[in-house]
Amino acid sequence: MRIEFLLAAALFSVASSAQARRTVSLSGPGWLCDGEEVCVPHTWNSLDGADGSPEGAPPPERGMSISADSYLRKAARYSRRLPDPMPGMRQFVRFEAVSRKADVYVNGSFAGRHVGAFTAFAFEVTDLLRPADNVIEVVADNRWDADVAPLSADYTLFGGIYRGVEWIETPQVCIDPVTDGAYGVELDVNTNGTVKAKIRILGGPDEEREITIENPELWSPENPRLYEETFRIASGDSVSVRFGFRTVEFREDGFYLNGVKRKLRGVNRHQDAGLSGWAASREDEDRDFALIAEVGADAVRLAHYPQSRHVYDICDEKGILVWNEVPAINWLTDSPAFRSNLVQQVREMVAQKRNHPCVFAWSLFNEIYNDVPPDRAQEGWMEGMLAEVRDVIKALDPKRPVVAASDRQPKKMLNDIPDQLAFNAYPGWYGDSSMSDDISRWFKASGRAMLAISEYGAGGNPFEHLDPLPAGRLDPGGPVHPEETQVKLLAADYMTICGEPRLWGSFIWAMFDFAADARREGGKNGINDKGLVTRDRATKKDVFYLFKANWSKESVLHVCSQRMSETTNATATVVGFSSCGDVTLLVNGSVAGVKTPDAVKVVRWEAVPLAEGENVIELRAGGRSSVRKLRRVAAKNEYEST
Ligand code: ADA
């Protein structure tokens, strides 16, 4: 007995003095989900989460995909073996996210519960482990719950262990990997070169450190300079943190980064990474941000919730400013459980993302419907809850502004809560207004001197075409979302946005098509098709090149409607984008016109005559060429078609 004790004590002292932290990925194969072998990241909704509500189901309501029961909602049991623990060390399991509730067990004993689909969490499992043959089980549950945000939204809530999992072993005294799912080191970075670090320690008192970097280079989209520091404590445990020096502030006339005014050129991104749904790999995320960098955006709104750690790492590296959002959308529940879960999700979001220089703002909500039911709105409880959340954010991180995305002006009180307000506008798509009307109304109603546009866009199926476009508005819930409408509306919107100096930024809805299972429209069920790029990332729509021509440093010449192969018309509309100067139009080798691009790099020819049969329509500018082929065919006699 005494010998065993001495041996254990010796092992412990070896471990605590000499053993560094060990981190092992538990992602990949080796997991079972309800008895089937799966790879983590995993979701059980990758197919049914984006196939639309079944035919015959009641007409889908816009924005109801979170609560739709058109895809599998369940509690699923995952399990896998754990690495053998090193004696004398402490063991933790860290999940990047589980949707949306997770109950974790080790060898049948309860280790902890996490509620919230978008933030990381970790549990200590040291006391639940045997020397070998340990099994972890996770019950993941994506069923709707009135006490867990978000309650409703226009995207599919994929279920499962859809981000990575890690096994962490530390000495007995260690940098805390548990509290708020963060890494235990909180930085306060100042552009004079001082970096103050609060190190949270388990098994010992917390520590504060200060380091100085001489003449630090500032971080910006043009120069995303990062620094890294390893914080080591006496037990040998250490954590490395990357950071950057930069300031963000709003002055009376706009947004300033490092004291320089900038009007943000943003896109919105959901974490739905195409055919794997939310179970995105690092490669999926790298590919997405390569496309965001290619289009030339300097900002991304991570709609409508915090995304994976790798996403923020990429944005730090590429110099993309991040709008990071609390998952409060459409509805809130007036219950203490909802309020406390929302605050917990917010604390975790700030704690986990605060060290990333790319994050420029915390967003409090998206499109809260406090006007329904009206009696509840009068009580003021929503204002109270959102003001409390704002104050929680400000107490945790006084340096970043709080913003919000609103869609309705009567909600004056809610719109007054964030430091900066942005609005979502779909003129010509969901309504008959114009972007300039919308902007004027928003400035008038909000009484603010500056605003941003958090969403603008239109549906676009790159395999549906219409020329000429009808004079009126198309039905956004209808079966046809021609690519040409998306080009027309976004070009007009962007022209207005460029001419409005009171806007501090704008964010296209959206960079990629994404799963919204309740939708049945645009020729493809289960998809919100307002992306610049299709959900499988295989097709860059014409609007991708509109923004690339405006934002990228690369020269762009692009003729639209290249996927439209046939027409029965005698003429065609030719639209193109050029950042290489004046554009010459050639039809079947003959010059048909020369035009100077407008302020948003668009050239347009109406009613260009076509020959019978194949036509080659070519744009030339700055030594480049872009071609579309269009076959003119005879109109089908209606009796011929069958
Ligand atoms: C809203 C909402 C988005 C998006 C958009 C749309 O503005 O904020 O999540 O779904 O509508 O495409 O209708």
Side-chain angles (χ1 to χ4, degrees), residues 46 56 164 167 219 246 281 304 357 362 429 482 505 507 522 557 564 577 611:
S46 56
W167 164 264
W219 180 98
R246 53 111 190 92
S281 63
H304 296 296
W362 307 112
W429 183 252
F507 296 81
L557 177 68
M564 177 179 181
F577 315 124

Side-chain angles (χ1 to χ4, degrees), residues 397-408:
D397 182 10
K399 282 192 171 173
R400 286 184 177 93
V402 172
V403 298
S406 182
D407 70 326
R408 43 197 78 187

Side-chain angles (χ1 to χ4, degrees), residues 267-269 288 291-292 295 508-513 530-534 544:
V267 294
N268 280 273
R269 177 188 186 262
D288 279 8
L291 287 162
I292 290 172
V295 83
I508 299 162
W509 191 263
M511 183 67 203
F512 305 101
D513 291 352
K530 298 189 188 69
L532 303 185
V533 178
T534 51
F544 178 92

Side-chain angles (χ1 to χ4, degrees), residues 446-458:
S446 69
R448 294 189 184 243
M450 61 181 152
L451 291 167
I453 300 180
S454 31
E455 293 177 23
Y456 65 107

Side-chain angles (χ1 to χ4, degrees), residues 445-593:
S446 69
R448 294 189 184 243
M450 61 181 152
L451 291 167
I453 300 180
S454 31
E455 293 177 23
Y456 65 107
N461 179 339
F463 306 103
E464 286 181 339
H465 298 280
L466 208 51
D467 178 23
L469 287 171
R473 188 163 66 85
L474 288 167
D475 172 10
V480 186
H481 287 180
E483 195 174 9
E484 290 71 21
T485 305
Q486 194 184 26
V487 168
K488 180 179 137 191
L489 293 177
L490 280 176
D493 288 352
Y494 194 59
M495 176 77 95
T496 310
I497 288 167
C498 288
E500 177 50 79
R502 294 173 298 169
L503 292 175
W504 53 264
S506 58
F507 296 81
I508 299 162
W509 191 263
M511 183 67 203
F512 305 101
D513 291 352
F514 60 92
D517 201 52
R519 286 184 181 261
R520 278 204 310 263
E521 62 190 41
K524 211 160 180 4
N525 288 347
I527 301 291
N528 185 318
D529 63 2
K530 298 189 188 69
L532 303 185
V533 178
T534 51
R535 182 165 181 253
D536 60 8
R537 278 55 170 178
T539 306
K540 293 170 183 165
K541 303 183 197 175
D542 287 335
V543 281
F544 178 92
Y545 296 96
L546 166 66
F547 289 96
K548 186 172 174 181
N550 279 280
W551 293 350
S552 162
K553 289 197 185 81
E554 271 178 60
S555 299
V556 174
L557 177 68
H558 177 83
V559 64
C560 294
S561 305
Q562 292 177 29
R563 285 168 289 263
M564 177 179 181
S565 55
E566 273 188 10
T567 181
T568 53
N569 299 335
T571 62
T573 310
V574 177
V575 178
F577 315 124
S578 165
S579 59
C580 339
D582 287 358
V583 182
T584 303
L585 167 68
L586 293 98
V587 179
N588 300 323
S590 305
V591 173

